[in-house]
Amino acid sequence: MQRILYISTARDGFDEAALDGILRSSRRNNAAVGVTGLLVVGGRRFLQVLEGPEEAVASVFERISRDPRHFAVVRLSNKTIETRAFGEWAMGYRSARVVDRNGQKRDLRAIVEQLVAPIGDPMLRAEFTEFATLHAAA
């Protein structure tokens, strides 16, 4: 199995409805080829991990890299893995725009720390928590 972690920037602003549409199609497409992962959005920046069969992960990453809705796609890591960190998620997602039931903005770092706490790879956990710290105000 393979794991790719990358960061990118949206070309234009986007609303939650547009992001929901992207997530629906990503989850459907990823599940069909056995790819799991997590996407965290902060402002116009995206941090995403993809994991699964090597060819499927490479294909999904290539498709994402060609998507004109974003640019500066930088692969932060690409490694062979024994087990999935996100095996239950066709594409888990968290945004800096998260609000609670009372309309109060929730702390992205705290949310992301909770999501990635079970992950055994300390470097992967750190990538997500540091991204959340840097982009929580976006």
Side-chain angles (χ1 to χ4, degrees):
M1 271 191 292
Q2 199 72 18
R3 176 183 296 146
I4 292 177
L5 176 69
Y6 77 90
I7 192 166
S8 68
T9 303
R11 288 197 186 280
D12 300 309
F14 55 89
D15 60 16
E16 290 295 317
L19 189 54
D20 285 344
I22 293 167
L23 288 167
R24 271 193 307 277
S25 64
S26 293
R27 287 174 174 146
R28 182 184 63 246
N29 295 339
N30 290 352
V33 296
V35 172
T36 58
L38 173 64
L39 170 66
V40 176
V41 178
R44 292 178 48 206
R45 301 286 285 172
F46 298 86
L47 181 66
Q48 184 171 26
V49 65
L50 303 167
E51 59 186 14
E54 186 175 350
E55 289 181 19
V57 169
S59 176
V60 169
F61 180 72
E62 182 62 30
R63 185 180 71 241
I64 290 167
S65 297
R66 290 190 316 264
D67 189 325
R69 294 174 289 194
H70 64 137
F71 67 99
V73 178
V74 177
R75 189 178 351 212
L76 301 173
S77 76
N78 183 10
K79 64 191 245 180
T80 301
I81 57 171
E82 295 284 325
T83 58
R84 296 174 190 257
F86 305 97
E88 301 298 314
W89 302 341
M91 185 47 56
Y93 161 71
R94 285 299 176 264
S95 170
R97 299 179 188 143
V98 176
V99 293
D100 67 17
R101 293 181 190 155
N102 299 320
Q104 298 295 312
K105 189 171 180 179
R106 296 176 59 201
D107 178 38
L108 181 64
R109 181 177 171 107
I111 294 166
V112 169
E113 282 179 349
Q114 184 178 16
L115 283 172
V116 300
I119 297 171
D121 182 339
M123 294 303 292
L124 187 58
R125 279 196 319 267
E127 290 280 4
F128 278 99
T129 55
E130 290 308 309
F131 178 88
T133 298
L134 290 170
H135 295 88

